[in-house]
Amino acid sequence: MHVTSEQRLDDGVLERDFTLGEIPGTLWTPLSASASAPVPLILLGHPPLGLRRMYPRLVARARRAAADGFASATIELPGSGDRPRWPALDQARADLRRAMEAGEPVSDGITDALVLPLVDRAVPEWQAALDALLSLPEIGGPVGYSGGVISIGVRLAVVEPRIVAAGLFAGSLVPRAMFEEARRVTIPLHVLLQWDDEGNDRQAALDLFEAFGSEEKTLHANMGGHSGVPQFAGEDAARFFARHLK
């Protein structure tokens, strides 16, 4: 893990850009963390739109995490942002756009091609990043995962024992194969669903929530589209992590 730049934000947060091999990422820590006990960590998931485009939303979430005493970090997803293009993923995205513009249902083939290879490649990268982040003296765990792509969160919840709680965003397509993995998830879950999300299959999101094997799972559904998440929904998610990471 190589730190490429750092800056102090105006609310007592240290922001560090880093690379892990070819993978860019960003780490946010409370400035007080270096002078006190190691802090828990939240991994910030996001859609494959590129870290530069997602930065305003990510840093807002990171600031809230730091205010609650947590470090947070994110990495660029494969085929996104400044990482090398991934022709197969680009083709799947083009197929998805054509289907949606034509008003056609999104086929299982398109969903699988779009999501499953991304999950297979991204999850080991997240685990490598977690190895590097937990080696830092100011970060000690436990670890939570927050955000999307929801299938990445599901896979991480199944295979990564260091993640003890997850807040998942139900705003992306879910392959049928992920439902079986969801039954193996046992950690506490807080799932956010925008009821009128134009790009999300609401029934599939509800079916996925039902499939989760967790004894503690909460569905937080709000009226509105994909970008209309109310501020109080973030407050509820913050309380969820405070409950499970402290």
Side-chain angles (χ1 to χ4, degrees):
M1 179 175 170
H2 174 64
V3 175
T4 57
S5 68
E6 68 175 53
Q7 64 172 330
R8 295 189 176 196
L9 305 184
D10 56 10
D11 50 359
V13 180
L14 178 63
E15 178 182 278
R16 284 171 280 182
D17 290 330
F18 65 85
T19 56
L20 189 67
E22 67 170 16
I23 307 167
T26 304
L27 168 65
W28 295 271
T29 51
L31 284 171
S32 59
S34 59
S36 60
V39 297
L41 173 66
I42 299 177
L43 303 177
L44 301 181
H46 55 88
L49 300 175
L51 287 185
R52 294 183 186 180
R53 181 174 171 183
M54 292 299 302
Y55 177 81
R57 282 184 260 177
L58 288 166
V59 74
R61 292 161 62 192
R63 287 176 187 269
R64 175 54 199 260
D68 290 335
F70 304 138
S72 56
T74 194
I75 57 174
E76 188 75 87
L77 292 175
S80 300
D82 295 328
R83 295 190 63 178
R85 302 313 307 166
W86 187 354
L89 186 61
D90 289 341
Q91 181 61 56
R93 289 170 176 166
D95 292 342
L96 174 64
R97 284 194 299 270
R98 278 196 294 270
M100 296 185 71
E101 289 169 359
E104 300 172 353
V106 179
S107 69
D108 288 347
I110 292 175
T111 299
D112 289 353
L114 184 68
V115 179
L116 292 178
L118 181 63
V119 171
D120 289 342
R121 189 175 295 187
V123 166
E125 294 181 352
W126 272 112
Q127 291 181 293
L130 187 53
D131 290 339
L133 292 163
L134 289 178
S135 72
L136 298 175
E138 64 267 39
I139 299 176
V143 181
Y145 178 87
S146 172
V149 174
I150 194 169
S151 293
I152 292 176
V154 171
R155 176 71 58 81
L156 278 169
V158 171
V159 304
E160 182 45 73
R162 292 171 291 186
I163 295 176
V164 302
L168 303 176
F169 296 177
S172 53
L173 297 170
V174 182
R176 294 182 185 275
M178 296 308 302
F179 285 78
E180 186 57 39
E181 294 195 37
R183 295 182 179 92
R184 296 163 54 198
V185 174
T186 58
I187 62 174
L189 298 177
H190 181 96
V191 182
L192 175 65
L193 171 64
Q194 286 301 104
W195 200 251
D196 304 304
D197 189 340
E198 60 282 356
N200 188 32
D201 184 333
R202 182 199 303 161
Q203 189 58 54
L206 295 173
D207 292 344
L208 182 67
F209 179 79
E210 185 174 9
F212 285 127
S214 302
E215 184 174 329
E216 179 188 335
K217 56 181 180 179
T218 300
L219 179 65
H220 191 125
N222 298 286
M223 305 305 292
H226 187 80
S227 60
V229 180
Q231 183 175 351
F232 62 77
E235 298 294 323
D236 288 339
R239 284 192 290 270
F240 167 80
F241 283 114
R243 192 163 66 248
H244 291 288
L245 300 186
K246 286 189 173 179

